[in-house]
Amino acid sequence: DAGVIQSPRHEVTEMGQEVTLRCKPISGHDYLFWYRQTMMRGLELLIYFNNNVPIDDSGMPEDRFSAKMPNASFSTLKIQPSEPRDSAVYFCASSFHSFQETQYFGPGTRLLVL
Amino acid sequence: DAKTTQPNSMESNEEEPVHLPCNHSTISGTDYIHWYRQLPSQGPEYVIHGLTSNVNNRMASLAIAEDRKSSTLILHRATLRDAAVYYCILRDVEGSARQLTFGSGTQLTVLP
């Protein structure tokens, strides 16, 4: 298995532009998570899905952020309009519902908003 | 989720054992102890987890105190590739929340 795939790996954009981050979870996993990592706040959960349905989006900073999971093999995190404070590394992770529920993380997307 | 406390940083010499401590004095009976690590410029990766008994896998060992208020991640022979931030996380298997709550972790430096 290729693991969790994220694209792009790096994104540089200007303030006000729309940014779309993409994630392909591990096949067969029914949970998908979006995390954000900054120096100031560390790793924090933004939103997670179970069977393509958003379960907890309380970590989404504001209305500028939206996430979708149209099918079991694809999810997007969109920021519109982007702001410099959105600069961070965004990780996608997936897991299979089990007693252990190990989460597998993608390599992350490093976003810089100028 | 109950909180964990870890030292901010630790150093180890290459090929020596490393003991990474974690305090979790408010742990509940249904909390599993999970360890993840994050290598530089990578996403976190699972290391090991346990409930009450000590656990071993190919990456590490987990020693859990009898009262479960603390645990120790043991790397038996540290290599330079083990330099990472190590996170100790409690997961309530009976809770509805499925996300991981990361603290600040311990930055492990391995000296050649």
Side-chain angles (χ1 to χ4, degrees):
Chain A
D1 199 319
V4 175
I5 299 172
Q6 291 187 247
S7 64
R9 293 292 309 277
H10 302 273
E11 177 81 29
V12 180
T13 190
E14 292 187 347
M15 183 174 66
Q17 296 298 307
E18 177 180 295
V19 175
T20 300
L21 310 181
R22 297 173 176 80
C23 175
K24 176 179 168 55
I26 293 173
S27 177
H29 282 191
D30 51 357
Y31 283 90
L32 183 139
F33 306 82
W34 283 100
Y35 292 88
R36 179 173 68 174
Q37 186 171 35
T38 62
M39 289 293 293
M40 291 294 294
R41 300 172 66 91
L43 265 162
E44 52 183 353
L45 177 79
L46 298 177
I47 185 171
Y48 77 90
F49 296 82
N50 177 219
N51 291 323
N52 313 335
V53 176
I55 302 300
D56 183 353
D57 65 355
S58 59
M60 296 285 263
E62 46 198 275
D63 292 345
R64 297 184 298 106
F65 285 69
S66 63
K68 293 182 179 179
M69 193 165 184
N71 57 63
S73 60
F74 184 65
S75 177
T76 60
L77 178 67
K78 187 175 294 187
I79 309 173
Q80 166 63 20
S82 58
E83 297 182 2
R85 59 192 168 124
D86 302 330
S87 298
V89 182
Y90 291 80
F91 291 103
C92 176
S94 69
S95 68
F96 174 69
H97 180 67
S98 68
F99 208 57
Q100 178 174 312
E101 284 192 30
T102 298
Q103 289 190 19
Y104 296 85
F105 285 75
T109 295
R110 189 172 296 273
L111 173 65
L112 177 61
V113 182
L114 302 174
Chain B
D1 288 330
K3 285 196 168 183
T4 63
T5 304
Q6 300 177 253
N8 289 333
S9 62
M10 291 185 64
E11 276 188 1
S12 172
N13 293 319
E14 197 176 9
E15 298 190 6
E16 289 187 359
V18 182
H19 291 234
L20 298 166
C22 180
N23 287 321
H24 27 78
S25 58
T26 59
I27 191 170
S28 73
T30 53
D31 282 333
Y32 272 73
I33 303 159
H34 287 246
W35 284 81
Y36 282 73
R37 73 178 185 180
Q38 187 173 18
L39 303 171
S41 300
Q42 294 189 26
E45 65 173 344
Y46 168 81
V47 177
I48 200 168
H49 79 284
L51 182 63
T52 56
S53 304
N54 294 344
V55 185
N56 300 298
N57 67 20
R58 63 175 180 81
M59 289 181 71
S61 295
L62 177 60
I64 301 172
E66 197 169 331
D67 63 4
R68 300 210 325 127
K69 293 184 184 299
S70 65
S71 61
T72 302
L73 179 70
I74 302 167
L75 306 180
H76 295 287
R77 251 176 107 244
T79 69
L80 297 178
R81 293 189 304 171
D82 291 322
V85 179
Y86 287 78
Y87 298 97
C88 171
I89 301 167
L90 301 183
R91 292 286 307 276
D92 180 359
V93 294
E94 292 189 356
S96 59
R98 302 264 62 84
Q99 67 269 32
L100 296 171
T101 302
F102 288 84
S104 53
T106 296
Q107 173 70 63
L108 175 65
T109 300
V110 180
L111 304 173

